[in-house]
Amino acid sequence: MNIIEVKNLKKSYHDGVTDTIALNGVTFNVRKGEFMAIMGPSGSGKSTLLHVLGLLDEPTSGHYTFNGKNISSYSRDQLADLRNREVGFVFQAFNLLPRTSVLENVKLPLYYSGIPEIEWDERSRKAVESVGLGHRMFHAPSELSGGEKQRVAIARALVTDPDIIFADEPTGNLDSKSGKMVMGIIQRLNEEHGKTIILITHETSTAEHSERIIRLMDGEIESDKKVSKRLTAEDEYVK
């Protein structure tokens, strides 16, 4: 079963004078439970594609089906609700609230989720513990390392139990050891919990944790190949 189907997807921006084409006829499917990486140089369209797939932006034309329904049939409010319930995001910059505890940062998506408030604390605690940070529950982000901040961001992405997680350069601000640990957590979410993962990265070593790599160039798919030998980060998994 496919969670995502895109056909001839296009996205352009108009600055009043010229049109800039960011995506030019992109077509592919993503299976439910698949771990896919998207690579490409700066300006290739990978961030635009993530924003469209993550329901943060709308395509100019083409078809995008999410969980069997064409997104063009949704209103803006319905898209926002769908995004809050079924999509999780992990960004390079962490995007944590600096004066708020780990637990409260993780709880934030629940305010917009429609999940009963009585469940918020338990869900948030379980998400924090799932990334090995139960001992940091009430610490502020300023008291955490870069790797710990990214693990908080992963917990925040998980707290609504989404169908799919988009990870945009999740190791970009981390040292190699922290990066391996973060990739271990992401890989475990895919392999043990069945989460669909779409990873944006410019690092081949990071992309090779996935099952499949799509390479973009100038808004078009240059290649779409399965990874013959996936890397693992088993020794770095947080148990």
Side-chain angles (χ1 to χ4, degrees):
M1 176 181 175
N2 294 325
I3 188 171
I4 283 175
E5 298 178 2
V6 295
K7 185 176 182 180
N8 200 27
L9 202 68
K10 297 184 179 182
K11 180 66 182 180
S12 60
Y13 299 94
H14 187 69
D15 64 5
V17 179
T18 59
D19 284 325
T20 299
I21 298 174
L23 297 174
N24 189 23
V26 173
T27 298
F28 63 89
N29 298 329
V30 181
R31 290 181 293 100
K32 193 173 182 65
E34 187 173 11
F35 188 164
M36 188 182 81
I38 299 172
M39 300 190 71
S42 179
S44 63
K46 59 185 186 295
S47 293
T48 299
L49 182 57
L50 178 142
H51 288 160
V52 171
L53 296 180
L55 308 175
L56 296 169
D57 200 357
E58 298 178 14
T60 303
S61 64
H63 298 277
Y64 175 19
T65 301
F66 184 91
N67 263 341
K69 191 167 183 179
N70 195 313
I71 64 163
S72 63
S73 65
Y74 288 90
S75 68
R76 286 184 178 272
D77 286 345
Q78 288 172 324
L79 283 175
D81 181 61
L82 180 66
R83 184 173 63 245
N84 290 336
R85 288 186 291 106
E86 300 189 31
V87 178
F89 295 96
V90 180
F91 295 103
Q92 179 178 351
F94 316 135
N95 295 339
L96 303 180
L97 299 178
R99 298 181 182 179
T100 304
S101 71
V102 165
L103 184 66
E104 291 301 317
N105 266 285
V106 170
K107 191 183 294 184
L108 189 61
L110 295 172
Y111 287 85
Y112 311 98
S113 67
I115 294 170
E117 187 173 353
I118 194 171
E119 297 181 23
W120 292 1
D121 278 344
E122 182 179 2
R123 278 178 172 264
S124 301
R125 287 175 183 274
K126 285 184 176 179
V128 173
E129 289 167 355
S130 75
V131 297
L133 289 176
H135 62 298
R136 297 287 206 180
M137 194 89 66
F138 301 104
H139 287 240
S142 61
E143 300 175 285
L144 307 179
S145 68
E148 288 172 330
K149 290 177 184 177
Q150 194 59 288
R151 285 153 65 187
V152 174
I154 293 171
R156 183 182 57 196
L158 287 174
V159 74
T160 58
D161 193 24
D163 285 342
I164 187 168
I165 294 175
F166 292 92
D168 189 4
E169 300 281 5
T171 63
N173 284 336
L174 306 179
D175 59 56
S176 59
K177 183 178 180 180
S178 296
K180 287 179 181 178
M181 180 172 285
V182 164
M183 287 310 302
I185 294 171
I186 291 173
Q187 201 160 6
R188 177 162 56 88
L189 292 174
N190 173 251
E191 294 175 352
E192 297 181 15
H193 300 276
K195 297 296 181 184
T196 305
I197 308 290
I198 295 183
L199 170 74
I200 304 293
T201 183
H202 66 277
E203 300 172 340
T204 300
S205 60
T206 300
E208 287 178 346
H209 286 277
S210 69
E211 302 169 83
R212 170 186 174 199
I213 300 175
I214 287 180
R215 294 182 185 273
L216 294 181
M217 179 65 72
D218 298 329
E220 299 179 359
I221 293 179
E222 184 180 50
S223 65
D224 183 351
K225 297 180 179 178
K226 289 189 175 296
V227 176
S228 57
K229 186 177 180 181
R230 294 177 67 186
L231 295 178
T232 66
E234 185 175 353
D235 293 339
E236 304 293 344
Y237 281 178
V238 178
K239 303 298 185 182

